[in-house]
């Protein structure tokens, strides 16, 4: 494998969570690529947005949860 | 509250222990069940069954995994059973081919990737995300929900879904890129 990561290498590392788990030398090369590649920076920003949007969509209690909790407590204690 | 203290209180049947369990875990479990495509009613039943199963087997629970891992693991299997009963078809498109197609022979982008980047997450974009998530397989949705939304550690997520760390990375790659491709299509039609 070339020691210079390509855009597809960087995009894969960003999306499969290996970007920050790579060896120190590979991490340096990934970051250098990101510093000079506008397209990859845009891609990474989109992936970060997806993660944030997912947390705001699926990571917050829904309005009906409070009522569900009351019913669950009643049922589980019986 | 630590798992150890919670288990001690539950096993001793202390007042408030069940309420505390329900208060802490209901919303995250419901969020996971919803994100895995269950109807509200099916999600509520799955969460109730998961908590009931846990309390029924409480005295046999040895604490080899965290309580969160155990509950999400039970829920994951219950949701998978329900999805099989509802005969949902799994997504079959080849994400690897679609991803590779974005790059030229030297691994350079063929065109600028487009989509939301800095926008506030309004109701329209949430609806897009919900719709795009329907294109993920059970495992992809589970991996994405556990790692991204619930911030579950890799080792715990692997136990819940029953995959290796390498396969978990593949699931995350496919989930994120399917969502990104889908959102890009909607974005370009705006």
């Amino acid at each position: 494998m070339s020691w210079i990561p390509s855009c597809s290498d960087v995009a894969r590392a960003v999306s499969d969570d290996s970007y920050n788990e790579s060896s120190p030398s590979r991490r340096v090369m990934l970051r250098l690529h990101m510093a000079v590649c506008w397209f990859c920076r845009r891609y990474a920003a989109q992936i970060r947005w997806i993660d944030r949007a997912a947390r705001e969509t699926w990571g917050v209690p829904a309005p009906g949860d409070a009522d569900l909790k009351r019913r669950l407590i009643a049922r589980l204690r019986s | 509250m630590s798992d150890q203290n919670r288990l001690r209180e539950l096993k001793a049947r202390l007042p408030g222990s069940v309420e505390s369990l329900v208060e802490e875990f209901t919303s995250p479990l419901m969020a996971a069940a919803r994100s895995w495509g269950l109807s509200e009613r099916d999600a509520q039943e799955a969460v109730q069954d998961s908590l009931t199963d846990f309390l029924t087997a409480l005295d046999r629970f040895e604490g080899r995994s965290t309580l969160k891992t155990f509950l999400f693991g039970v829920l994951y299997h219950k949701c998978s059973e329900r999805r099989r009963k509802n005969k949902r078809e799994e997504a079959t498109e080849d994400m690897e081919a679609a991803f590779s197609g974005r790059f030229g022979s030297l691994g350079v982008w063929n065109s600028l990737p487009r989509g939301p980047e800095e926008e506030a997450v309004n109701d329209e974009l949430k609806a897009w995300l919900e719709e795009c998530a329907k294109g993920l397989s059970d495992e992809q949705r589970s991996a994405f929900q556990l790692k991204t939304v619930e911030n579950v550690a890799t080792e715990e997520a692997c136990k819940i879904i029953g995959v290796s760390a390498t396969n978990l990375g593949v699931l995350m790659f496919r989930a994120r890129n399917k969502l990104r491709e889908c959102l890009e299509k909607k974005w370009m039609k705006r």
Side-chain angles (χ1 to χ4, degrees):
Chain A
M1 182 189 294
S2 166
W3 60 278
I4 303 174
S6 64
C7 294
S8 62
D9 292 333
V10 172
R12 187 174 289 271
V14 166
S15 56
D16 71 7
D17 282 338
S18 65
Y19 189 90
N20 290 321
E21 294 168 13
S22 306
S23 65
S25 58
R26 180 161 172 79
R27 214 157 48 234
V28 167
M29 297 313 298
L30 288 171
R31 287 179 182 171
L32 275 174
H33 179 112
M34 195 70 87
V36 301
C37 181
W38 185 57
F39 280 33
C40 280
R41 286 204 300 278
R42 294 288 292 273
Y43 174 87
Q46 288 158 27
I47 295 297
R48 282 196 301 273
W49 185 92
I50 288 169
D51 286 2
R52 177 166 64 88
R55 284 189 286 270
E56 291 186 31
T57 304
W58 296 310
V60 294
D65 284 1
D67 183 56
L68 172 63
K69 288 176 189 175
R70 279 192 291 274
R71 286 187 279 117
L72 275 174
I73 288 168
R75 192 161 292 193
L76 292 172
R77 293 192 66 190
S78 64
Chain B
M1 181 186 295
S2 71
D3 277 3
Q4 201 175 11
N5 287 341
R6 186 182 300 283
L7 285 168
R8 189 174 57 242
E9 290 188 3
L10 284 167
K11 288 182 179 182
R13 310 297 193 262
L14 291 185
S17 58
V18 169
E19 286 84 344
S20 173
L21 176 77
V22 168
E23 185 57 44
E24 178 161 343
F25 289 102
T26 298
S27 288
L29 290 170
M30 279 298 296
R34 289 184 190 109
S35 81
W36 293 337
L38 294 195
S39 67
E40 189 67 15
R41 181 179 166 175
D42 280 351
Q44 290 186 6
E45 282 184 9
V47 169
Q48 179 180 299
D49 288 349
S50 300
L51 290 169
T52 302
D53 284 0
F54 168 68
L55 289 173
T56 303
L58 183 61
D59 292 332
R60 297 195 302 274
F61 183 72
E62 295 173 357
R64 275 178 291 182
S65 60
T66 65
L67 185 50
K68 187 174 185 178
T69 300
F70 183 83
L71 286 171
F72 273 91
V74 172
L75 179 71
Y76 174 73
H77 289 292
K78 288 192 183 296
C79 288
S80 294
E81 280 172 18
R82 277 176 168 76
R83 283 168 69 88
R84 274 196 293 277
K85 277 184 191 168
N86 294 339
K87 290 186 171 51
R88 285 193 52 148
E89 288 192 14
E90 292 292 324
T92 55
E93 71 264 28
D94 186 351
M95 192 59 237
E96 291 289 346
F99 180 79
S100 298
R102 298 300 303 239
F103 304 93
S105 56
L106 297 177
V108 177
W109 289 98
N110 286 329
S111 60
L112 180 67
R114 295 184 187 277
E117 293 175 23
E118 301 292 336
E119 288 69 16
V121 185
N122 59 27
D123 287 347
E124 181 192 21
L125 294 174
K126 281 185 184 178
W128 284 7
L129 191 64
E130 296 265 12
E131 200 177 316
C132 289
K134 291 176 186 172
L136 304 184
S137 70
D138 279 356
E139 285 188 329
Q140 289 161 9
R141 289 179 75 135
S142 302
F144 185 71
Q145 175 75 14
L146 290 169
K147 289 285 294 171
T148 303
V149 180
E150 294 300 326
N151 203 28
V152 170
T154 296
E155 189 183 339
E156 300 293 302
C158 288
K159 282 183 195 170
I160 291 168
I161 305 172
V163 296
S164 67
T166 302
N167 284 346
L168 186 70
V170 173
L171 291 172
M172 290 301 293
F173 163 80
R174 289 178 182 169
R176 283 188 170 125
N177 281 289
K178 275 189 188 176
L179 290 171
R180 204 207 67 77
E181 291 286 330
C182 176
L183 287 166
E184 184 179 58
K185 286 185 181 121
K186 293 181 182 299
W187 185 257
M188 298 303 285
K189 285 183 190 168
R190 249 184 162 193

